[in-house]
Amino acid sequence: MDKQVLNFRKVHFVTSAPDIRHLPNDGGVEIAFAGRSNAGKSSALNTLTQQKNLARTSKTPGRTQLINLFELEPGKRLVDLPGYGYAQVPLEMKIKWQKNLAEYLQRRESLKGLVILMDIRHPLKETDQNMLEWSAHRKLPVLLLLTKADKLNPGPRKTQLLKVRKDVAALGDHIRVEAFSSLNNIGVETLAEVLTDWYLSDQVEDIAHEESAE
């Protein structure tokens, strides 16, 4: 029997917000995509949803300055967070982005899962490590995607994948690490399956809570 996978092609844009105060009500399930400005976050979202322009890609990293919200079904949302890292923007603006990003990650109750993207050739930078440590503190499930996997041959790709899995193991078993390529569709099915599991398992938990309260 085939595993149930949600139809991510149905996703549509809802809003862009500078901070959490401008987001819709904090209910349902949100899964956020986060990564350094050049990690391929927008390309991954576009590939997952089979929509070329859902998340805008730019040759200049760091152009995503807002929290972008997309809805898959009522109560099920994808979130494209501002890229972090060395974007060529004024320091004052960079500090503001980081503040809004941290606020979303710490205070958004509907956030139930985090997809963290890293270039497979340059993973686990300091900012990436901070994101992983924060997710462990909040006990959020994480799918760590090593993007641009097509840039490495199968042998070196597998070696790097195993190395990163070993490096993050100390943080706990809530982190799953997979290779990913928007160009060659490596890991796209896995991404869809993991997100589906997160959406549906949280839905089951909500029903259980409602039944126990009756």
Side-chain angles (χ1 to χ4, degrees), residues 3-5 8 48 176 188-198:
K3 197 170 185 178
Q4 179 184 5
V5 177
F8 288 92
L48 170 68
R176 176 172 175 173
V188 177
E189 286 187 12
T190 298
L191 172 60
E193 289 174 359
V194 170
L195 265 57
T196 296
D197 286 344
W198 287 353

Side-chain angles (χ1 to χ4, degrees), residues 151-170:
K151 302 291 186 182
L152 297 181
N153 289 327
R157 181 193 307 154
K158 185 174 182 180
T159 298
Q160 185 74 316
L161 175 63
L162 295 176
K163 181 181 184 302
V164 174
R165 284 176 175 169
K166 182 179 179 180
D167 289 343
V168 303

